[in-house]
Amino acid sequence: MSYRITGSTGEWEIVVGLEVHAQVVSEAKLFSGASAEYGGEPNTHVSLVDAGFPGMLPVLNRECVAQAVRTGLGLEAEINLFSRFDRKNYFYADLPTGYQISQFAHPIIGKGKVLVDLADGSTREIGVTRLHLEQDAGKSIHDQDPTRSFIDLNRAGVALMEIVSEPDIRSPEEAGAYLRKLRQILRYIGTCDGNMEEGSMRADVNVSVRKPGETEYRTRCEIKNVNSIRFVMMAIEVEAQRQIEVWEAGGTVDQETRLFDHVRGETRSLRSKEDAHDYRYFPDPDLLPLVIEQSWVDELKAALPELPEAKRARLEQEYGVSRYESSVLCVEQAIADFYETVARGADARLAANWMLGDFFAALNRTGRSIEDSPVSAEGLRELLGLISDSTINGKIAKEVLEDMVETGDSASAIVERKGLRQVTDTGAIESAIREILAANSDKVEEYKGGKDKLFGFFVGQTMKAMKGKGNPALVNETLKKLLSE
Amino acid sequence: MSGIHDFTLASARDALKARKISAVELTNAHIDAIERLDGQLNSFITRTPDQAREAAKASDEALAKGEGGSLCGIPLGIKDLFCTNGVRTTAASKILGNFVPPYESTVTANLLKDGAVFLGKLNLDEFAMGSANLTSAFGPVENPWKRKDSDAKLVPGGSSGGSAAAVAAGLVLGATGTDTGGSIRQPAAFTGIAGIKPTYGRCSRFGTIAFASSLDQAGPMARNLQDCAILLESMAGFDPRDSTSVDTPVPHYEAALKRGVKGLRVGIPKEYHVEGMPAEIEALWQQGMTWLRDVGAEIVEVSLPHTKYGLPTYYIAALAEASSNLARYDGVRFGERVSASTLDGLYEASRAAGFGDEVKRRILIGTHVLSSGYYDAYYLRAQKVRTLIQQDFLKAFENVDVLLTPTAPSGAFAQDEKPTDPVQMYLNDVFTVPASMAGVPALSVPAGLDARGVPLGLQLIGKFFDEETLIAAGHAIEQAAAFHHRPTIHAGVSA
């Protein structure tokens, strides 16, 4: 189902391309030895190179290049063995050298793709145009003093990957799915932590609209620096709406840079095309062209972890879980690892069920992440083992899990302590059922008169009497037998 | 020995090692000379006599123990484009204010490691932009040479004019220079000294204030090529902090002096016979060929067909880079700031007040040639022509070992003869720019005096990283020319 916005003149299609700035995970900055760590007192992670002192020269950080190549491999992209750094010239107080070193004409990574999963179960391929390495700028702080601004250069020079998508995105949902998938890939490979709150991933959103069936693109606007997936989706929606209103009022959309104000739910013009900077790109003469060896790329490729798409397919195949289940389990590598630890040596499908259900619920309830889960994978596996070997039933298992979360005790210890072992003694079950049937002789008559639904009532009463510990299969079986007597 | 000011760097080194003279004595004599003469010459922007004396004392202690590097106790001057730890560094610009770097450039660090004694920071054209040392915010440098028939103040050439004047006048035994399009060679020629622009990548650019990064190269300036060779050996070397420095061993350059030129093939680029070149320059060039032929070299005519494009493409490529390199002088983090109520206002006021006219002119040109709509026509085309110029040299060097040309189209001119058209001024670099564009090494040696008694130089251009052949050929010219003239203003001449 295609996403359409209905205006006064009919339906509109939206066209979106995303430029994602992803901060590279690395110890040092792209061209200096200063720490690339987030935070720190202002201006403590700054070298003379970052601060643009006279005579200082950039030296490329090899690890940042490796991270870009790994990411390119994760996006199934062309790896350019020849690339080059250019200077993008503009004046700003938090840009110490007066230029940003970026890759304009020859990016290190060429065309690639991202497969996104949509809510209706379908998948779409979003093209990646390119990925290039560039420096981040520092931070200007305007709200500390009425007349002065302050500059923090801790971020200045930190390596960013700019990942540019093709204008293949056709709905806010696809934009969200693309960003989530991209973030998932980056996290799997360990090239970006994808933390949008800390600004280590941010997006520039290019939006245009057109009538369904039109083959040309209309003028687009770029919404700068949107810092959450939800805001990206909202920004697309309100910007598309705005453009449709402009077109439908007989106007034309001007190419410009806009800002998204999530409080007011609108986009605002930042600068028009006429005011656009002339960046005067040219090759940075302080750096040689970046030439890498295919053999090095091959080495990096061989050392790459299993990627989300491959892992998802493998879990589906290896453990017999559904596509949906496996894609949820693969959202984070740690979850998938946790699942595999549980599933090896337990009923794999039961394990998926429990992970997606009660286990995630327990994590949410306690506000814990998979890394500091209150229940270990081995602990959960033991619990599931107790279900499989009929020591406890599923309902009791939920109670045991809660106890595990609370006390940290093992499943078997809890079962023993609370005497939750399932009753499989047919004699005990039979006598419990006989008592229930005797006390409800009217209902027994109704049942026998054809009111089949009452069977559930008898099961419930029996389990209640047995404090939930009756083996459900035996209870069913015995009830049927006694009711037909 | 006739006097302390007759030392060359090499002979001073030998005398120091032999303990015939102390480093303190040598340094004091030079400090005295600076005090006596530099009020007139203005070759220093910043003098560091106290530090120099300290260093000289330390040198004497090392020498007494039989220790000390190749330059132990040798008084040098440093072009004020090299950042020096704890010593004001200005690039001869107001915009840097009283900037004191907390770091040392690699080239000066190498010299210090070998024991050199720094007497101070030498004047230059602002940001090394100029060919007459007339654009310095600290005033022009006067050439210690005078015409026979006049007292007119002559220019020392540029941009390393302070270095050239200080060496020529005997205020220092050697100096560092930087050469972007001729800034070592042309002033060396104008002041009757020797200077080497090494292969691009031979000396680290780390800590040297950039003019045009793809062209800037540090090099030595001294009384003769032996002194230059000793300095170059110390200055050169791979530096991991400069991605364009080249990791190739530094040879013992001084040894190359003894090589001779027998069988050496010396190319004469026919395109360098430019229109309007004074007859005496042409004659000196012929003389140079004769000298080399007399000691066994073979003279071969070669063609560098793209020579005539050298100057215009240089002024596009160099200024494009300069416009970007000088963006960091914005009044925000260091140097002079002129306050304003907006950020753009602060930039405009600081840069308007801080930069001189020539620097502003060059930033404007450089910005223009990179602008959208002009990039292809100017910058990109210049890059292509640059490649052709480089190929010219590579092709010529298939056939010859070095090239011989004049260094500059004239001798030193008077300060008040400065051409009013800036482009006319740029013509000073016509012979030096092509080697810079190609990145190949070149040097200038004094070869004679013009009719008015002002020195003239000859230029030798060599193959990539073959400074040794260049030095050998240059030394042959030095020996034949026997240039022993002294400038009017000289420490050894009683004033």
Side-chain angles (χ1 to χ4, degrees):
Chain A
M1 254 275 288
S2 305
Y3 176 85
R4 294 283 185 265
I5 296 178
T6 308
S8 61
T9 61
E11 293 203 319
W12 292 82
E13 178 182 58
I14 67 167
V15 177
V16 175
L18 293 171
E19 290 169 24
V20 172
H21 295 262
Q23 185 182 323
V24 173
V25 172
S26 66
E27 302 236 318
K29 295 182 178 180
L30 183 54
F31 296 110
S32 85
S35 167
E37 201 186 320
Y38 178 79
E41 287 294 301
N43 295 309
T44 52
H45 300 167
V46 188
S47 78
L48 292 161
V49 176
D50 308 322
F53 269 57
M56 291 297 112
L57 297 171
V59 177
L60 182 58
N61 179 344
R62 185 188 171 89
E63 179 55 18
C64 295
V65 177
Q67 292 288 58
V69 171
R70 289 183 188 112
T71 307
L73 293 167
L75 302 174
E76 296 177 56
E78 297 158 10
I79 311 296
N80 294 325
L81 299 182
F82 174 95
S83 63
R84 208 177 59 191
F85 288 96
D86 300 296
R87 290 186 185 177
K88 178 180 180 178
N89 295 282
Y90 66 96
F91 281 94
Y92 203 64
D94 55 28
L95 185 71
T97 51
Y99 54 84
Q100 177 196 32
I101 306 178
S102 179
Q103 294 187 304
F104 180 62
H106 298 279
I108 184 162
I109 306 295
K111 284 193 180 302
K113 62 184 180 199
V114 172
L115 273 182
V116 301
D117 299 314
L118 300 174
D120 64 3
S122 65
T123 57
R124 273 210 68 200
E125 185 180 307
I126 307 295
V128 169
T129 313
R130 54 183 280 165
L131 175 156
H132 68 253
L133 280 167
E134 63 182 28
Q135 300 174 296
D136 204 349
K139 198 165 79 180
S140 293
I141 304 158
H142 302 297
D143 57 0
Q144 308 278 306
D145 186 284
T147 57
R148 295 179 300 167
S149 291
F150 293 89
I151 309 293
D152 178 5
L153 294 179
N154 280 355
R155 297 181 72 100
V158 165
L160 300 177
M161 296 180 284
E162 180 171 327
I163 305 165
V164 182
S165 87
E166 294 285 331
D168 286 348
I169 294 164
R170 292 288 175 273
S171 70
E173 187 208 350
E174 283 177 22
Y178 170 81
L179 287 171
R180 275 191 295 273
K181 189 58 174 278
L182 186 61
R183 184 172 62 180
Q184 183 190 19
I185 293 169
L186 298 176
R187 283 178 170 167
Y188 261 65
I189 312 173
T191 55
C192 172
D193 67 21
N195 191 331
M196 294 186 90
E197 293 77 56
E198 289 180 1
S200 53
M201 204 172 132
R202 18 189 224 272
D204 296 342
V205 189
N206 286 288
V207 181
S208 67
V209 297
R210 63 181 176 185
K211 290 285 191 176
E214 280 181 15
T215 50
E216 300 291 314
Y217 298 126
R218 297 197 188 195
T219 309
R220 65 186 154 84
C221 290
E222 184 182 24
I223 310 161
K224 277 276 183 208
N225 253 328
V226 189
N227 63 0
S228 87
I229 293 176
R230 196 163 62 90
F231 290 163
V232 167
M233 295 169 68
M234 284 166 65
I236 291 170
E237 220 172 308
V238 300
E239 175 61 15
Q241 199 68 53
R242 184 191 72 84
Q243 291 183 15
I244 289 166
E245 281 163 21
V246 171
W247 290 119
E248 291 191 331
T252 47
V253 170
D254 296 324
Q255 187 175 336
E256 59 183 357
T257 304
R258 302 181 69 85
L259 278 181
F260 176 60
D261 180 337
H262 68 270
V263 179
R264 299 169 66 168
E266 62 178 28
T267 66
R268 276 200 301 276
S269 181
L270 183 67
R271 56 173 179 262
S272 70
K273 195 185 178 186
E274 289 70 41
D275 300 331
H277 295 295
D278 181 353
Y279 290 120
R280 309 191 312 279
Y281 284 101
F282 76 105
D284 191 328
D286 286 333
L287 294 160
L288 301 174
L290 173 55
V291 178
I292 57 176
E293 303 283 330
Q294 184 59 46
S295 57
W296 187 55
V297 176
D298 294 342
E299 265 173 53
L300 293 172
K301 189 171 186 175
L304 226 51
E306 186 179 30
L307 294 172
E309 204 45 45
K311 193 182 280 289
R312 193 203 52 70
R314 183 173 61 77
L315 293 197
E316 197 179 334
Q317 217 251 326
E318 199 172 320
Y319 298 101
V321 293
S322 73
R323 187 192 167 88
Y324 169 76
E325 286 169 328
S326 72
S327 66
V328 176
L329 290 170
C330 290
V331 161
E332 283 178 41
Q333 197 155 19
I335 294 174
D337 291 347
F338 193 100
Y339 169 71
E340 289 205 75
T341 309
V342 178
R344 288 196 195 104
D347 177 337
R349 299 192 54 188
L350 185 69
N353 247 321
W354 272 78
M355 290 256 322
L356 267 48
D358 295 77
F359 176 72
F360 279 176
L363 285 189
N364 283 339
R365 201 171 56 244
T366 53
R368 310 279 276 270
S369 70
I370 192 86
E371 284 82 9
D372 62 351
S373 163
V375 175
S376 70
E378 291 74 15
L380 185 59
R381 184 171 62 201
E382 188 199 1
L383 175 67
L384 300 185
L386 294 178
I387 301 174
S388 297
D389 69 9
S390 299
T391 306
I392 55 174
N393 63 37
K395 196 159 173 243
I396 292 292
K398 286 174 195 283
E399 186 189 331
V400 174
L401 181 65
E402 272 180 37
D403 201 323
M404 288 167 75
V405 170
E406 218 164 275
T407 64
D409 289 349
S410 75
S412 52
I414 293 164
V415 168
E416 286 314 313
R417 164 157 57 76
K418 289 189 159 177
L420 296 175
R421 193 169 280 277
Q422 183 165 248
V423 178
T424 48
D425 172 355
T426 43
I429 291 171
E430 206 174 308
S431 72
I433 289 174
R434 282 191 192 285
E435 270 177 48
I436 297 295
L437 297 185
N440 294 284
S441 51
D442 50 338
K443 297 237 166 43
V444 173
E445 286 314 311
E446 281 177 48
Y447 178 81
K448 286 183 174 166
K451 209 169 173 186
D452 292 351
K453 275 187 191 159
L454 281 168
F455 188 76
F457 167 78
F458 297 124
V459 173
Q461 290 298 307
T462 309
M463 289 304 258
K464 195 175 163 192
M466 297 184 73
K467 297 199 173 75
K469 292 187 288 184
N471 178 306
L474 285 176
V475 169
N476 279 354
E477 192 186 309
T478 315
L479 249 178
K480 271 185 192 148
K481 191 183 83 189
L482 295 183
L483 281 169
S484 58
E485 271 175 3
Chain B
M1 196 178 69
S2 44
I4 205 159
H5 291 292
D6 295 315
F7 277 122
T8 62
L9 189 153
S11 64
R13 173 194 61 184
D14 299 341
L16 284 165
K17 289 262 190 245
R19 312 298 295 137
K20 288 183 183 151
I21 184 174
S22 76
V24 168
E25 252 179 292
L26 190 64
T27 294
N28 280 333
H30 284 90
I31 291 170
D32 290 347
I34 292 166
E35 279 171 11
R36 264 190 299 133
L37 302 178
D38 207 49
Q40 178 175 354
L41 295 177
N42 196 32
S43 67
F44 279 83
I45 289 176
T46 306
R47 302 177 193 176
T48 56
D50 296 342
Q51 276 169 265
R53 287 191 185 97
E54 283 298 309
K57 241 172 81 186
S59 297
D60 280 330
E61 283 161 21
L63 288 162
K65 287 186 263 178
E67 294 166 2
S70 61
L71 294 169
C72 194
I74 299 293
L76 299 178
I78 302 301
K79 186 179 184 179
D80 205 12
L81 204 60
F82 294 87
C83 290
T84 40
N85 195 356
V87 176
R88 181 175 72 150
T89 300
T90 70
S93 181
K94 276 196 290 192
I95 203 149
L96 276 151
N98 285 315
F99 175 64
V100 177
Y103 47 90
E104 189 76 34
S105 82
T106 299
V107 162
T108 49
N110 288 343
L111 293 168
L112 289 172
K113 197 180 66 207
D114 286 333
V117 173
F118 292 172
L119 296 171
K121 305 297 289 291
L122 295 164
N123 208 340
L124 65 149
D125 279 298
E126 184 179 3
F127 281 101
M129 295 176 179
S131 306
N133 216 127
L134 293 171
T135 71
S136 168
F138 296 84
V141 174
E142 188 181 335
N143 193 328
W145 291 81
K146 294 281 185 194
R147 288 172 181 159
K148 283 189 292 199
D149 51 0
S150 130
D151 197 39
K153 291 181 176 181
L154 303 183
V155 303
S159 65
S160 309
S163 303
V167 170
L171 308 187
V172 296
L173 283 173
T176 59
T178 63
D179 191 314
T180 306
S183 282
I184 287 175
R185 293 160 283 165
Q186 183 254 21
F190 274 22
T191 56
I193 66 166
I196 303 176
K197 179 206 92 76
T199 309
Y200 182 78
R202 180 71 285 187
C203 293
S204 168
R205 292 184 297 112
F206 179 85
T208 308
I209 294 177
F211 162 12
S213 314
S214 74
L215 295 152
D216 295 345
Q217 187 57 208
M221 301 173 81
R223 237 145 288 159
N224 59 40
L225 281 177
Q226 183 181 16
D227 293 358
C228 284
I230 294 165
L231 286 170
L232 180 59
E233 197 172 320
S234 174
M235 293 164 73
F238 173 64
D239 181 2
R241 291 178 299 180
D242 173 4
S243 309
T244 62
S245 89
V246 177
D247 194 0
T248 179
V250 178
H252 183 39
Y253 291 120
E254 200 180 352
L257 289 161
K258 300 199 186 90
R259 277 193 188 178
V261 295
K262 214 171 176 53
L264 198 75
R265 291 172 65 83
V266 178
I268 307 299
K270 61 179 183 190
E271 291 82 2
Y272 280 53
H273 295 280
V274 294
E275 207 182 315
M277 185 157 75
E280 54 191 344
I281 302 281
E282 185 67 47
L284 182 79
W285 194 4
Q286 292 297 334
Q287 180 65 64
M289 297 177 211
T290 307
W291 284 331
L292 288 171
R293 197 184 289 118
D294 288 350
V295 287
E298 192 184 336
I299 305 298
V300 187
E301 190 187 70
V302 297
S303 174
L304 300 171
H306 297 93
T307 297
K308 66 176 173 213
Y309 303 114
L311 214 48
T313 50
Y314 167 81
Y315 274 94
I316 291 169
L319 304 198
E321 293 178 20
S323 71
S324 176
N325 282 335
L326 269 58
R328 68 185 60 196
Y329 307 103
D330 56 9
V332 173
R333 296 167 315 287
F334 48 76
E336 284 298 294
R337 173 189 294 184
V338 179
S339 290
S341 56
T342 63
L343 181 60
D344 284 348
L346 182 147
Y347 290 149
E348 285 168 14
S350 299
R351 288 166 69 84
F355 289 135
D357 287 345
E358 182 61 25
V359 172
K360 285 177 192 161
R361 176 182 297 118
R362 294 190 185 202
I363 290 174
L364 286 172
I365 295 171
T367 303
H368 178 70
V369 300
L370 287 175
S371 297
S372 136
Y374 298 96
Y375 180 88
D376 288 359
Y378 289 115
Y379 182 80
L380 199 61
R381 183 153 304 175
Q383 291 304 113
K384 287 175 180 166
V385 176
R386 186 175 182 178
T387 306
L388 294 174
I389 290 171
Q390 191 176 69
Q391 284 167 356
D392 280 356
F393 280 101
L394 291 175
K395 198 147 170 258
F397 285 128
E398 286 171 10
N399 200 27
V400 298
D401 303 300
V402 292
L403 300 170
L404 176 69
T405 78
T407 307
S410 74
F413 46 89
Q415 286 180 4
D416 56 12
E417 291 164 4
K418 176 182 99 117
T420 46
D421 177 0
V423 175
Q424 202 58 36
M425 186 71 121
Y426 297 167
L427 288 176
N428 266 290
D429 303 328
V430 66
F431 298 136
T432 47
V433 149
S436 296
M437 293 292 274
V440 293
L443 58 77
S444 178
V445 282
L449 300 177
D450 72 4
R452 293 198 278 185
V454 172
L456 297 173
L458 284 173
Q459 174 180 231
L460 287 158
I461 304 170
K463 298 177 181 175
F464 282 108
F465 294 98
D466 191 10
E467 283 82 358
E468 290 165 284
T469 302
L470 215 49
I471 289 166
H475 189 53
I477 293 176
E478 273 184 332
Q479 287 176 306
F483 186 92
H484 297 306
H485 309 283
R486 282 278 179 83
T488 312
I489 302 165
H490 187 276
V493 178
S494 49

